[in-house]
Amino acid sequence: MTTYHHTDIDGLSVFHREAGHPDAPAIVLLHGFPTSSHMFRHLIPALADRYRVIAPDHIGFGQSSAPSVNSFDYTFDRLTEVTTALLDRLGVHRHALYVQDYGAPIGLKIASRQPERVSAIVTQSGNAYMEGFTPFWEPLFAYATAPGPDTEPAVRALLTADATRWQYTHGVKDVSRISPDTWSHDQPLLDRPGNAEVQLALFRDYKNNLDAYPAFQQYFRDSQVPLLAVWGRNDEIFGPDGATAYRRDLPDAEIHLLDAGHFALEDQLDTVAGYTRGFLGRVLG
């Protein structure tokens, strides 16, 4: 059974979903934009018979606090600090990571700074190499480099209902397999007063994650952490070259390119869960 919790971290309410035996090996699921731990609602029970599964909502997303940009520093470093503090509060000091989209820089900052914490990594469109970037990112990087009236409209368009729906449906062979509950869940949260400014702040900060890529890649080389990539080959946000690039530093990485887009769990749940269970069973014992 999945349970739902709010934990106070530095005066912020951090929401997380949890399932599995508390003494089982832990896996932490870190979501991407524009969603929340809701994206893992079906994966959690698929793993919870063997693992303690923990899926938080980042600050500004889902059911976690969403303070204004004037009262919280919306950077990926700050989101990493909150996530680490939550795991410490929960007594989770050794765990596997499952990262997607925004969850990748957060999880990989944890891993590269405290490698003793991380037992294995599963990445689903969770980028750590320049090869993963597609033309989708051109307006985002233009805005991050020169925020202003000339660059902001293109990124504000990413906060609209049409853009949210596209994130779930592009690259999908059969769109009828994608529940509209996905984008109808995410969009009202994006539309909360003040949330556009939150997302714009994170858009501006995202380019700073690229400065951490050399540290991530050095961590991979030094640790040889077991890594599984389950990635939509049709993803127009983080392309499949971002998955295969992991083998540069982790030659034993297990990589599967699926006939899916950015949110592969929505139509490839059984495949992703099967690969994840097999991988974790082998590397965690």
Side-chain angles (χ1 to χ4, degrees):
M1 177 180 292
T2 301
T3 57
Y4 307 89
H5 309 269
H6 285 88
T7 302
D8 183 276
I9 302 294
D10 298 331
L12 299 165
S13 179
V14 181
F15 173 83
H16 78 276
R17 303 168 192 248
E18 182 167 346
H21 195 282
D23 293 333
I27 179 168
V28 177
L29 315 180
L30 299 179
H31 70 83
F33 169 87
T35 185
S36 64
S37 61
H38 180 259
M39 71 167 283
F40 298 120
R41 65 200 180 281
H42 300 309
L43 182 63
I44 291 170
L47 301 177
D49 62 323
R50 296 184 184 178
Y51 304 102
R52 181 185 181 187
V53 188
I54 297 165
D57 288 352
H58 309 314
I59 297 299
F61 294 84
Q63 301 300 317
S64 287
S65 291
S68 74
V69 294
N70 297 321
S71 57
F72 183 81
D73 184 19
Y74 280 96
T75 66
F76 285 86
D77 277 345
R78 188 72 182 97
L79 296 183
T80 301
E81 291 171 3
V82 172
T83 303
T84 304
L86 173 68
L87 296 177
D88 287 343
R89 182 72 58 84
L90 298 177
V92 180
H93 304 296
R94 177 77 170 166
H95 54 82
L97 284 170
Y98 186 115
V99 298
Q100 194 262 354
D101 191 86
Y102 275 13
I106 295 169
L108 295 177
K109 286 172 191 269
I110 293 172
S112 60
R113 295 169 183 176
Q114 297 180 280
E116 71 281 357
R117 294 188 79 120
V118 176
S119 54
I121 297 172
V122 180
T123 174
Q124 176 208 326
S125 294
N127 204 51
Y129 293 86
M130 296 304 297
E131 288 90 334
F133 290 108
T134 66
F136 172 87
W137 287 90
E138 292 173 4
L140 284 158
F141 288 143
Y143 172 68
T145 302
D150 293 333
T151 56
E152 187 174 307
V155 296
R156 279 191 177 270
L158 298 176
L159 306 177
T160 64
D162 285 346
T164 301
R165 185 180 187 277
W166 174 84
Q167 290 214 49
Y168 282 99
T169 58
H170 81 269
V172 174
K173 184 175 182 180
D174 182 0
V175 176
S176 71
R177 292 170 57 89
I178 309 301
S179 170
D181 294 341
T182 53
W183 56 83
S184 63
H185 174 275
D186 292 348
Q187 194 61 41
L189 295 169
L190 279 177
D191 290 341
R192 288 177 291 183
N195 194 260
E197 287 67 35
V198 167
Q199 302 307 326
L200 290 174
L202 289 171
F203 289 165
R204 291 192 298 271
D205 186 64
Y206 194 91
K207 65 181 177 59
N208 295 321
N209 293 324
L210 277 60
D211 294 335
Y213 278 16
F216 296 166
Q217 294 159 18
Q218 188 64 52
Y219 156 71
F220 298 147
R221 290 191 292 272
D222 291 344
S223 69
Q224 291 301 298
V225 62
L227 183 135
L228 165 70
V230 278
W231 205 288
R233 70 163 64 93
N234 310 320
D235 189 349
E236 295 181 32
I237 298 174
F238 287 117
D241 288 347
T244 55
Y246 279 97
R247 283 217 178 104
R248 181 186 312 152
D249 298 307
L250 294 169
D252 293 330
E254 182 179 333
I255 297 171
H256 301 279
L257 300 179
L258 311 179
D259 189 10
H262 192 59
F263 284 110
L265 285 173
E266 296 304 324
D267 70 333
Q268 299 280 344
L269 172 69
D270 291 345
T271 301
V272 174
Y275 282 137
T276 301
R277 287 172 65 89
F279 168 74
L280 293 177
R282 289 191 296 276
V283 302
L284 300 184

